[in-house]
Amino acid sequence: MGCNGYSFAYVGSRTTRARNARGEGISVYRLSPADGRLSLVQILGNLENPSFLTLNRAQDRLYTVHGDSDQVSAFSIDALTGEISLLSTATCGGRNPVDIVVDPSGKFVVVSDHLGSGDGGALKVMPLMENGAIGPVIQSVQLEGEPGPYKREQPFAKPHFNPFDRSGRYVAVPDKGVDRIFVFRFDGGVLTPAHVPWVGTREGAGPRHMVFHPSNAFAYVVNELDSTVASYRFDEANGRLEPFQIVSTLPDTFVGNSKAAEIQISKDGRELYASNRGCDSIARFKVDAKSGRIDFQGVTSSGGRTPRYFALGPDERFLYALNEDSDSIVTFRLDRGSEPALAQLDVNRCGSPVCMVFKSV
C-alpha cells in the first residue's frame, strides 16, 4: 500500500510529433481508494512514446516499450511515494515494440515487435538482471502467415500483444497482420510452438488484444479491424484455442467507422469490457461461467475521443477510460446490474494517454 493508504497508477503516453502526440512521458498518480480519484504525483519526461507498461510481481519495477523505436526500458519505483526513476534501456531490435510482459518467474520479459525489420513482426525474449534491468535479446521468433486483405493494415505479420495464460506456461500472441493467434510454450526463457501453434480468425478481423478467463478455460480476443470479440475454448494441457462465438462490440445503431482497441475481464469472470475508437465507447458483455459465451449489454460513451485503452481499478469499483485524442483520463464508477452500467465521476487531463497500470494495494 502507498502512503496514507493510497495506491498508485502509471500512465504511458504518445510523445512524438510523428504521432501528432501531446504526451509528456510517464505520469504517476496517487489513487484514492475511497472515490477512485487520481492526483498527479510525477511526470517523468524525455521519453519517446512510452506506450505500453507492465509491472513485475513485486511491484517495485515498471517496464515500458518505446513505440516506433527499437527500445524498452526499466524503472525503479519508490515504495513510499510511487515515483519512478530510470533503471536501464535496452534495444529489442526491429521497430515499434507494442507490448511487454514479465514472465511468472520474474526472470524474463517477452516483447511484441510489431513491425520487425520492415518485413514482419517478431516475438522477443529478454532476460532481467538481479536489479530488474533488462538484458539483451536472447531469443527472437519471426511470426509468419498469409497477410490479411487490408494491405495498409495487414502487409505482413504484426504481433500486437503477448499475454501469459493463467497457468503461466503459455504465451498467446494475437497477430493483426495475418489474422492469427499464435500460442507458444514458455519454459526457462525459451519459446516453442504449442501443440497447435496457431488458430485463424475471420479474414480481415485484425486480432489485437486478448484476455484469459479466470478459470483459464476460455480466452477472449478483441478484433480491431472488424470491431468484434471472439471467444475461444482454451485447453491448458496443450495450449489449443478453439473458437466458438463472435460478437460485435458496436450497437446496431452505429453506422460509422470504428476500430476496437482494448479488452478487459473482471476478476470474477462475469463481466467483459472492450473499447471502440470511432464509436468512442466502452462495450460491456455478460459472461456465462459454464459455457463461456458472452452477451452484449450495450455501450457507454468513453467521455472523450479515441479510447485506445481503458483499465479496471484495483478493486474494480472504477473504470478509467484513456481517450488518446482528447487528452483525458475519464473515471467511471462501475455499477453492476443497473443502467447505465457506468456513471461518469471525474476527468483528468493527460496528453495522448495510451496505457495504464496500477501498483495495487
Side-chain angles (χ1 to χ4, degrees), residues 334-345:
L334 287 177
D335 187 12
R336 298 183 186 184
S338 66
E339 293 294 339
L342 307 174
Q344 185 172 328
L345 281 180

Side-chain angles (χ1 to χ4, degrees), residues 247-303:
V247 179
S248 178
T249 63
L250 300 169
D252 60 11
T253 54
F254 182 81
V255 296
N257 295 317
S258 192
K259 292 180 179 180
E262 176 59 4
I263 188 167
Q264 300 269 347
I265 194 167
S266 61
K267 293 176 183 176
D268 63 10
R270 296 178 179 177
E271 305 276 346
L272 187 75
Y273 305 88
S275 66
N276 295 304
R277 298 171 293 172
C279 182
D280 293 340
S281 58
I282 307 297
R284 183 169 65 91
F285 305 84
K286 291 285 188 183
V287 183
D288 182 83
K290 185 175 181 180
S291 69
R293 290 179 60 85
I294 62 175
D295 183 26
F296 180 67
Q297 301 292 296
V299 299
T300 297
S301 169
S302 67

Side-chain angles (χ1 to χ4, degrees), residues 196-259:
V196 179
W198 57 268
V199 61
T201 69
R202 275 184 181 172
E203 185 179 74
R208 178 182 173 92
H209 282 188
M210 70 183 292
V211 291
F212 286 88
H213 190 274
S215 69
N216 215 31
F218 310 106
Y220 302 94
V221 176
V222 65
N223 296 311
E224 176 179 338
L225 300 182
D226 70 357
S227 298
T228 60
V229 171
S231 304
Y232 297 82
R233 296 182 185 90
F234 179 65
D235 188 340
E236 192 178 304
N238 57 23
R240 179 187 177 93
L241 287 168
E242 179 187 2
F244 65 92
Q245 185 190 22
I246 191 164
V247 179
S248 178
T249 63
L250 300 169
D252 60 11
T253 54
F254 182 81
V255 296
N257 295 317
S258 192
K259 292 180 179 180

Side-chain angles (χ1 to χ4, degrees), residues 62-194:
L62 177 74
Y63 298 94
T64 189
V65 295
H66 297 280
D68 298 336
S69 76
D70 64 350
Q71 295 185 323
V72 295
S73 292
F75 305 85
S76 58
I77 300 176
D78 184 283
L80 182 62
T81 68
E83 294 187 5
I84 60 174
S85 55
L86 181 64
L87 186 62
S88 72
T89 295
T91 179
C92 63
R95 184 161 53 95
N96 196 20
V98 292
D99 187 30
I100 183 168
V101 177
V102 181
D103 88 297
S105 76
K107 296 179 179 179
F108 306 93
V109 292
V110 183
V111 176
S112 284
D113 178 5
H114 191 55
L115 299 180
S117 57
D119 57 356
L123 206 58
K124 308 293 178 68
V125 180
M126 306 174 76
L128 295 178
M129 307 295 102
E130 285 191 12
N131 67 349
I134 304 174
V137 173
I138 57 173
Q139 185 183 16
S140 179
V141 179
Q142 193 78 25
L143 300 181
E144 298 178 350
E146 185 70 23
Y150 300 109
K151 299 308 178 186
R152 180 179 176 184
E153 297 275 9
Q154 299 180 300
F156 40 62
K158 296 171 72 175
H160 215 300
F161 204 54
N162 50 260
F164 280 83
D165 79 305
R166 302 284 179 165
S167 76
R169 293 184 294 156
Y170 298 95
V171 176
V173 188
D175 192 299
K176 174 181 167 181
V178 297
D179 291 326
R180 290 180 176 179
I181 298 109
F182 295 90
V183 183
F184 295 89
R185 285 293 303 264
F186 189 83
D187 186 14
V190 178
L191 293 162
T192 55

